[in-house]
Amino acid sequence: MNKNDKKFWIWFSRIQGINCIQKEKLLKQFESPCELWNMNKTDLRKIEKINENNINEILNEKYRKDLEKYEEYMNRNNIQIITILDNEYPKKLRNIYDKPIVLYAKGNLDLMKQNGIAIVGCRNCSTYGKSIAKKLAYNLAKQNKCIISGLARGIDKYSHIGAVEAKGNTIAVIGNGLNNIYPYENKELSERIVKNNGLIITEYIIGTPPNRFNFPARNRIISALSDAIVVVEATEKSGSLITADFGLEHGKEIFAVPGNIDNANSIGTNNLIKQGANIVTNFKDILNVCYS
């Protein structure tokens, strides 16, 4: 990708009123966002299945401002941009329906090609949940499995810690821009991940705040990059169950750690087991199902 191309992809990724599926359809008609950038309203109206709202978003000047500043920040902070047209774009993501058009990444891109296990769970987890997440991640990382999670509080955090302490590989998929690690308490952990040859990725341009609706969307990326999804603790309506749902949609193996029936954090995981998820009592349970 040359310098000019990067500017147009940054612009294209900033457009909020056109979703990933619509953007992919536009890219099938044009070689790059550059062509769309140069179109006027009359040109855009000739495009099939594009409406006035889409046209107004494409022409909206707010998305075209400060693109050089975005590039400069990304260059200074070693943030890479991978587009759906690049060879580096992970094959696992190409297989899903609403694939991200652009990924912003910091760290080792090769990890997206490796065998990966997602470990997820609730933010307000128990001491037991922290211990299990860390132990599973540590042992799986020692078996050269990349640990994938969302860098959130609770289970996500301890899954990444387990992988880092094993000197293994881990990918953190976040729901905001790479200029702002959320929650802030995990900033040091994010730095450890990158220093340990790990990877942090997002589909959101720098400056994007951690909006609530971004996190369910990022869960589809966690699922797509993984061979299996392990839910350690989850309440009845936990967001981690969304990741499990994406996993079912993507054809992944689903695992759940059984829990105390009197603990609210066990309702989601125990329900997954009732519905047919694999029970995890040892990291080898995961290896035996997925890699034997």
Side-chain angles (χ1 to χ4, degrees):
M1 184 192 303
N2 64 42
K3 183 177 180 181
N4 289 331
D5 284 340
K6 184 184 288 189
K7 179 183 84 169
F8 296 121
W9 281 103
I10 291 171
W11 161 71
F12 197 49
S13 76
R14 291 183 72 194
I15 298 174
Q16 296 177 7
I18 304 177
N19 63 36
C20 293
I21 298 166
Q22 293 170 318
K23 287 179 179 178
E24 185 182 9
K25 288 178 180 177
L26 286 171
L27 288 173
K28 287 179 178 177
Q29 298 181 61
F30 305 98
E31 289 186 3
S32 78
C34 177
E35 293 187 46
L36 284 168
W37 171 282
N38 291 316
M39 288 182 173
N40 58 34
K41 185 166 283 193
T42 301
D43 296 328
L44 290 168
R45 281 176 175 156
K46 294 176 184 177
I47 299 174
E48 188 179 353
K49 294 182 180 179
I50 190 170
N51 59 41
E52 284 297 312
N53 289 334
N54 298 150
I55 292 170
N56 291 334
E57 284 290 284
I58 291 169
L59 296 176
N60 194 325
E61 284 296 323
K62 73 179 181 180
Y63 300 127
R64 300 178 180 234
K65 293 179 180 178
D66 301 323
L67 298 179
E68 290 77 13
K69 291 183 180 179
Y70 283 92
E71 283 191 78
E72 289 170 8
Y73 183 91
M74 289 166 60
N75 290 335
R76 283 199 315 271
N77 292 276
N78 299 314
I79 296 172
Q80 303 173 75
I81 178 171
I82 304 102
T83 80
I84 196 171
L85 301 184
D86 293 333
N87 292 330
E88 295 87 353
Y89 191 91
K91 291 181 180 179
K92 292 178 180 178
L93 276 183
R94 291 192 190 278
N95 295 328
I96 68 172
Y97 176 60
D98 52 347
K99 57 187 74 65
I101 299 303
V102 166
L103 291 172
Y104 295 97
K106 193 166 186 177
N108 182 5
L109 298 180
D110 287 338
L111 296 187
M112 292 189 286
K113 302 174 186 175
Q114 294 189 6
N115 291 331
I117 303 292
I119 302 179
V120 296
C122 57
R123 289 168 171 79
N124 187 26
C125 62
S126 68
T127 301
Y128 171 77
K130 295 175 184 178
S131 173
I132 293 300
K134 184 176 174 181
K135 184 184 295 184
L136 286 173
Y138 182 95
N139 286 311
L140 289 167
K142 282 291 187 183
Q143 297 297 315
N144 296 317
K145 302 298 179 278
C146 183
I147 303 304
I148 304 168
S149 199
L151 201 63
R153 293 185 180 95
I155 298 301
D156 289 19
K157 173 181 178 178
Y158 285 90
S159 301
H160 292 303
I161 289 173
V164 170
E165 290 188 357
K167 301 191 184 304
N169 297 321
T170 188
I171 299 173
V173 185
I174 64 174
N176 50 277
L178 277 167
N179 62 307
N180 176 32
I181 296 301
Y182 176 84
Y184 184 77
E185 67 194 59
N186 286 346
K187 188 175 189 302
E188 182 181 351
L189 175 58
S190 74
E191 293 167 353
R192 287 177 67 193
I193 288 171
V194 174
K195 188 176 180 180
N196 196 58
N197 203 36
L199 176 67
I200 303 177
I201 60 170
T202 181
E203 64 182 314
Y204 301 106
I205 183 69
I206 53 174
T208 304
N211 295 320
R212 183 179 60 183
F213 51 80
N214 291 355
F215 294 94
R218 70 92 193 264
N219 290 347
R220 80 192 194 286
I221 300 176
I222 293 175
S223 167
L225 291 175
S226 307
D227 300 320
I229 294 150
V230 182
V231 184
V232 176
E233 283 189 337
T235 59
E236 189 171 13
K237 296 183 180 180
S238 171
S240 56
L241 299 180
I242 297 173
T243 311
D245 287 341
F246 278 123
L248 290 171
E249 181 183 321
H250 298 157
K252 311 293 182 174
E253 289 286 350
I254 309 298
F255 294 82
V257 175
N260 185 329
I261 62 173
D262 291 326
N263 188 332
N265 286 351
S266 301
I267 295 174
T269 49
N270 289 347
N271 282 343
L272 282 175
I273 292 167
K274 286 181 185 178
Q275 294 161 16
N278 299 281
I279 297 176
V280 178
T281 59
N282 186 292
F283 77 96
K284 293 179 182 177
D285 294 334
I286 302 162
L287 298 178
N288 288 340
V289 171
C290 296
Y291 305 108
S292 59

